[in-house]
Amino acid sequence: EAGVTQSPRYAVLQEGQAVSFWCDPISGHDTLYWYQQPRDQGPQLLVYFRDEAVIDNSQLPSDRFSAVRPKGTNSTLKIQSAKQGDTATYLCASSRQVNQDTQYFGPGTRLLVL
Amino acid sequence: GEQVEQLPSILRVQEGSSASINCTYENSASNYFPWYKQEPGENPKLIIDIRSNMERKQTQGLIVLLDKKAKRFSLHITDTQPGDSAMYFCAASVRGSALGRLHFGAGTQLIVIP
């Protein structure tokens, strides 16, 4: 079974630039999560979906961050006008049913904002 | 919401000795407590979990204890090896809740000294 895949693996930006991260969950997993993991900290949930619907985006900085999962499979997380404080690893995870099963993490995208 | 506190932040042990990591949570409704291991540059991987209907679980040199009254759970690694060196994260969630999600601790850097 293929795991969660993410791209790109690394991104380096200047402040003010935009960036998009892409996630392909494990086939058959209806729930997809995006986490932000600052260096030496635990993952912090940004948003999660069941199929194409947003379940919780309360931790997503809505003025600059957006996330979509239009067909209930792949998902894109976008940062408009990145700030140095956005420097972190962005992890995508998926599970078979929301809160009913183990979450499997992708390799993450390491973002550095200069 | 939920707050998960994890201690210690750094743990150094001699090879062959045991290592213990402790976490506390606030929400008495939390009923699922997974532990993840994250090696440098890698994604977090589930190593063991425990549900609220259990007080102890053991697998392959790992022991998890849960004290629901004290809202405390812990990971014990017996006979540590250099390969156990990594970041360890505890988490808590209300499994089965439509709005439940994993809340992670800040992590413990385990260093096993040969």
Side-chain angles (χ1 to χ4, degrees), chain A residues 40-52:
Chain A
D40 297 330
Q41 294 186 35
Q44 297 159 14
L45 184 72
L46 293 173
V47 59
Y48 74 100
F49 299 83
R50 181 176 184 181
D51 298 320
E52 68 278 4

Side-chain angles (χ1 to χ4, degrees), chain A residues 6-48:
Chain A
Q6 291 185 246
S7 65
R9 292 297 308 275
Y10 303 93
V12 180
L13 304 175
Q14 297 290 335
E15 273 199 321
Q17 288 186 306
V19 64
S20 292
F21 309 134
W22 180 82
C23 173
D24 188 5
I26 294 173
S27 178
H29 284 197
D30 65 357
T31 308
L32 184 148
Y33 310 80
W34 283 103
Y35 290 88
Q36 180 190 62
Q37 185 178 22
R39 185 177 176 83
D40 297 330
Q41 294 186 35
Q44 297 159 14
L45 184 72
L46 293 173
V47 59
Y48 74 100

Side-chain angles (χ1 to χ4, degrees), chain B residues 8-9 14 20 22 25 30 35 39 48 50 53-54 57-58 60 64 68 76 81 84 86 90 102 104-105 110 114:
Chain B
S9 56
Q14 289 293 136
S20 296
N22 300 293
Y25 61 98
S30 290
W35 287 87
E39 302 191 60
I48 191 169
I50 190 167
N53 60 349
M54 301 174 70
K57 185 174 181 179
Q58 181 170 357
Q60 296 179 335
V64 174
K68 288 178 290 185
H76 306 271
Q81 299 299 310
D84 294 325
C90 63
L102 282 179
F104 283 86
L110 174 63

Side-chain angles (χ1 to χ4, degrees), chain A residues 42, chain B residues 6 8-9 11 19 21 23 35-39 45 47-48 62 75 77 80-91 104-112:
Chain B
Q6 181 172 350
S9 56
L11 179 59
I21 303 170
C23 291
W35 287 87
Y36 285 82
K37 176 183 180 182
Q38 186 175 27
E39 302 191 60
K45 293 180 174 63
I47 54 174
I48 191 169
L62 302 176
L75 173 69
I77 305 173
T80 54
Q81 299 299 310
D84 294 325
S85 295
M87 284 290 290
Y88 290 80
F89 295 98
C90 63
F104 283 86
T108 296
Q109 177 73 53
L110 174 63
I111 301 168
V112 179

